[in-house]
């Protein structure tokens, strides 16, 4: 293992050489080392560096190596620097003392690499690479854990998690991204300290959750996103950040259609969901606990779920755009689930929600597959794809821009300006339903008729 040589950019080598002139060794630490041992080729040019020198000494060495200093935090011994495409974050060897916060209350600088390693979260992130000596330094047995594909804390789990609640999210994210199993003691410690997540800013929780929902995209580990949300559940963290969702734990569903309870169905919906709809997949049935009838039915849960999902998004500070997507998909994930809705209504629905058409198909497919792990195409998806294809073949206008008339045409024909938008939208729906032809003369005639209706003439 020590024979592995990290391929580092010239800027980092220059930085190490300048440190050596001052009598210090410079180390790469963390994910770069872990990934090199795993044989993962990183596309990033961001490097975490460490060494026994002060922030001021590192800053001077970095500047001599041609780096631009982005920022410096002397209290924690950190310097952020950049040279071309290469970003480096240097932190002095240190040990930390925490109070009730994820940021260290007291920082103690040291020259002992083992002490520095012990302050880190997991052993696979506490492996160092001496840049000029071209060898790994492993104070806590991290290489062994990497080879065994095990996630283990650097110290007793209770100590690690109680210091920084965000490490609970990192446990789920990183272990799933790289496909590692979690050491039983580490999982036990996470469960016992799950409440520490309450002290973390909601933006940071959402950032980690979003990464977990896309964990399979980081290194191509199949099913990593599902493993991530399952780890959140098993560690008790999911119950702390989205308690509305975990109310579905153990809540049975009609066995004719469902293999899993409400919560597990939601988690498996994430497994089958396309990346763009995974938050909606997680929350699509969040209204079920509030609508449970006791006989296995959840009438109106999609409508109740919209407000609940919106509140969760607000609390986690999810973007407005993503919140709108989630609300739309939660509200309509059950629409035409029995395939009995008329084609005319489906055509109008496609037009009205065209911006989310691919997403609504994706959520319906994921919901269908998650019921009983059936990956065949959902009947509703088959039906809607066929209808959409027919609309395209017929040349149905899919937006106002594709109508054969514009707003000015209607005004010139005598339509009141305030009624133009309403009439154009109505005509677009009629064209979609096949009850009106997208022809200029017919559209103007229909618009004038609609104008009379609105005037009550």
């Amino acid at each position: 293992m020590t024979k592995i040589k990290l391929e580092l950019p010239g800027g980092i080598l220059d930085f190490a050489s300048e440190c050596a002139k001052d009598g210090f060794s410079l180390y790469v630490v963390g994910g770069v080392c872990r990934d090199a041992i795993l044989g993962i080729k990183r596309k990033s040019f961001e490097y975490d560096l460490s060494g026994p020198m002060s922030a001021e000494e590192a800053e001077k060495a970095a500047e001599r190596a041609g780096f631009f200093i982005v920022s410096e935090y002397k209290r924690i011994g950190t310097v952020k620097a950049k040279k071309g495409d290469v970003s480096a974050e240097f932190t002095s060897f240190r040990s930390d003392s925490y109070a009730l916060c994820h940021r260290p209350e007291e920082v103690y600088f040291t020259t002992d690499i083992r002490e520095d390693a012990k302050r880190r979260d997991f052993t696979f992130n506490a492996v160092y690479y001496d840049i000029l000596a071209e060898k790994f330094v492993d104070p806590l047995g991290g290489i062994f854990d990497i080879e065994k594909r095990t996630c283990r804390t650097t110290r007793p789990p209770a100590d690690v998690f109680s210091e920084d609640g965000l490490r609970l999210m990192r446990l789920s994210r990183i272990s799933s991204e790289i496909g590692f199993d979690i050491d039983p003691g580490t999982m036990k410690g996470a469960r016992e300290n799950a409440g520490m997540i309450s002290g973390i800013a909601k933006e940071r929780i959402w950032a980690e959750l979003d990464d977990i929902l896309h964990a399979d995209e980081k290194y191509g580990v199949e099913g990593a996103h599902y493993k991530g949300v399952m780890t959140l559940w098993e560690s008790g963290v999911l119950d702390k950040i989205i308690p509305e969702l975990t109310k579905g734990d153990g809540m049975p569903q009609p066995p004719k259609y469902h293999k899993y309870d409400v919560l597990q169905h939601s988690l498996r919906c994430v497994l089958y969901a396309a990346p763009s709809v995974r938050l909606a997949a997680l929350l699509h049935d969040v209204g079920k606990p509030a609508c449970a009838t006791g006989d296995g039915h959840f009438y109106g849960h999609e409508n109740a779920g919209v407000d609940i999902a919106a509140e969760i998004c607000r609390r986690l500070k999810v973007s407005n755009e993503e919140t709108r997507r989630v609300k739309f998909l939660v509200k309509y994930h059950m629409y035409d689930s029995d395939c009995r809705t008329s084609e005319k209504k489906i055509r109008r629905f496609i037009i009205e929600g065209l911006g989310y058409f691919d997403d609504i198909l994706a959520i319906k497919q994921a919901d269908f597959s998650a019921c009983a792990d059936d990956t065949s195409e959902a009947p509703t998806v088959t039906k809607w794809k066929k209808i959409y294809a027919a609309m395209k073949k017929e040349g149905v206008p899919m937006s106002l821009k594709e109508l054969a008339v514009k707003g000015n045409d209607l005004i010139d024909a005598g339509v009141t300006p305030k009624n133009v938008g309403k009439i154009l939208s109505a005509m677009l729906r009629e064209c979609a339903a096949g009850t009106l032809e997208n022809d200029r003369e017919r559209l103007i005639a229909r618009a004038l008729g609609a104008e009379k209706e609105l005037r009550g003439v």
Side-chain angles (χ1 to χ4, degrees):
M1 187 59 62
T2 55
K3 293 181 181 180
I4 295 177
K5 179 181 177 180
L6 292 190
E7 296 297 328
L8 300 171
I12 297 295
L13 297 175
D14 292 341
F15 190 177
S17 295
E18 292 301 326
C19 289
K21 291 177 183 178
D22 294 332
F24 302 112
S25 294
L26 184 65
Y27 300 84
V28 177
V29 63
V32 171
C33 296
R34 178 198 67 217
D35 291 353
I37 295 169
L38 288 171
I40 295 173
K41 293 187 178 298
R42 292 172 66 97
K43 299 178 181 178
S44 172
F45 289 96
E46 298 179 358
Y47 294 86
D48 289 324
L49 307 175
S50 193
M53 64 287 262
S54 68
E56 292 88 347
E57 290 166 326
E59 179 180 348
K60 292 176 181 177
E63 287 178 328
R64 294 198 305 267
F67 278 83
F68 168 74
I69 304 304
V70 178
S71 57
E72 180 185 1
Y73 307 90
K74 292 182 180 179
R75 190 184 78 83
I76 57 175
T78 297
V79 175
K80 294 184 179 181
K82 189 172 180 64
K83 182 178 181 180
D85 294 333
V86 177
S87 296
E89 180 173 321
F90 169 87
T91 302
S92 302
F93 285 171
R94 70 177 203 234
S95 61
D96 303 327
S97 174
Y98 290 80
L100 296 176
C101 181
H102 67 277
R103 294 177 180 172
E105 184 179 57
E106 298 288 343
V107 174
Y108 307 95
F109 296 111
T110 179
T111 58
D112 187 344
I113 195 170
R114 181 177 177 82
E115 286 301 308
D116 186 72
K118 287 164 62 178
R119 74 174 177 84
R120 299 178 183 277
D121 48 11
F122 308 110
T123 59
F124 56 60
N125 282 335
V127 176
Y128 301 71
Y129 182 78
D130 187 324
I131 296 172
L132 296 185
E134 298 182 349
K135 66 177 183 179
F136 286 99
V137 180
D138 183 17
L140 304 178
I143 291 178
F144 177 82
D145 287 336
I146 292 171
E147 292 174 336
K148 296 296 182 182
R149 306 188 73 82
T150 298
C151 182
R152 181 169 58 88
T153 52
T154 56
R155 287 170 288 124
D159 293 344
V160 171
F161 293 123
S162 64
E163 289 175 350
D164 183 356
L166 195 64
R167 289 169 173 170
L168 295 159
M169 301 291 294
R170 286 169 56 82
L171 173 69
S172 295
R173 175 176 61 81
I174 302 176
S175 65
S176 60
E177 284 177 345
I178 58 180
F180 277 24
D181 294 326
I182 298 174
D183 169 71
T186 296
M187 178 60 82
K188 182 175 182 291
R191 285 195 292 266
E192 292 172 348
N193 290 274
M196 292 299 297
I197 197 65
S198 62
I200 302 301
K202 299 301 185 289
E203 297 95 330
R204 301 190 74 183
I205 291 175
W206 165 238
E208 289 288 342
L209 177 58
D210 189 36
D211 284 344
I212 289 169
L213 291 172
H214 298 87
D216 59 323
E217 299 176 67
K218 185 67 178 286
Y219 298 120
V221 176
E222 186 176 357
H225 54 301
Y226 172 66
K227 179 182 178 181
V229 293
M230 281 297 295
T231 300
L232 285 178
W233 162 239
E234 292 166 358
S235 65
V237 174
L238 188 62
D239 189 48
K240 304 299 181 183
I241 61 176
I242 314 180
E244 302 93 334
L245 183 66
T246 57
K247 287 180 180 178
D249 181 37
M251 188 172 285
Q253 303 193 87
K256 180 179 179 180
Y257 306 104
H258 288 276
K259 184 177 178 180
Y260 304 97
D261 66 26
V262 172
L263 174 61
Q264 292 304 319
H265 168 74
S266 296
L267 300 184
R268 294 194 73 78
C269 194
V270 172
L271 170 63
Y272 294 110
S276 65
V277 301
R278 285 178 181 165
L279 179 58
L282 185 67
L283 302 180
H284 79 287
D285 277 348
V286 74
K288 279 188 172 180
C291 296
T293 60
D295 61 357
H297 293 92
F298 307 91
Y299 301 113
H301 74 274
E302 62 273 30
N303 295 318
V306 173
D307 290 337
I308 297 172
E311 167 57 23
I312 292 169
C313 288
R314 184 203 63 78
R315 187 173 70 235
L316 294 178
K317 302 188 184 301
V318 177
S319 71
N320 291 335
E321 180 181 355
E322 181 65 7
T323 298
R324 284 192 292 270
R325 184 205 311 273
V326 168
K327 290 172 64 177
F328 182 88
L329 298 180
V330 170
K331 182 176 182 178
Y332 293 110
H333 77 274
M334 290 292 292
Y335 187 54
D336 195 34
S337 58
D338 58 2
C339 290
R340 294 181 181 178
T341 305
S342 71
E343 181 172 334
K344 286 184 178 180
K345 288 184 177 179
I346 298 302
R347 283 172 168 249
R348 294 191 188 102
F349 179 82
I350 290 173
I351 292 296
E352 291 170 356
L354 188 63
Y356 295 119
F357 182 63
D358 290 339
D359 290 337
I360 195 67
L361 291 183
I363 199 72
K364 282 182 167 294
Q365 182 61 55
D367 191 17
F368 174 81
S369 294
C371 288
D373 299 316
D374 184 351
T375 57
S376 64
E377 188 167 81
T380 307
V381 172
T382 301
K383 174 185 173 182
W384 285 23
K385 282 183 176 179
K386 183 177 180 180
I387 292 172
Y388 180 78
M391 292 170 69
K392 296 293 286 185
K393 185 176 182 179
E394 294 165 13
V396 170
M398 306 301 285
S399 68
L400 293 177
K401 292 181 179 180
E402 295 181 15
L403 281 175
V405 295
K406 307 301 178 188
N408 289 336
D409 297 326
L410 301 191
I411 292 174
D412 292 343
V415 174
T416 305
K418 70 176 183 179
N419 291 334
V420 168
K422 184 183 297 184
I423 291 174
L424 284 172
S425 295
M427 292 195 302
L428 180 63
R429 291 192 294 271
E430 290 181 41
C431 287
T435 57
L436 179 63
E437 186 178 346
N438 188 27
D439 172 80
R440 177 183 171 81
E441 292 184 3
R442 285 183 169 82
L443 290 175
I444 290 178
R446 179 68 186 94
L448 293 174
E451 171 75 4
K452 288 182 180 180
E453 294 171 8
L454 290 171
R455 289 182 178 179
V457 177

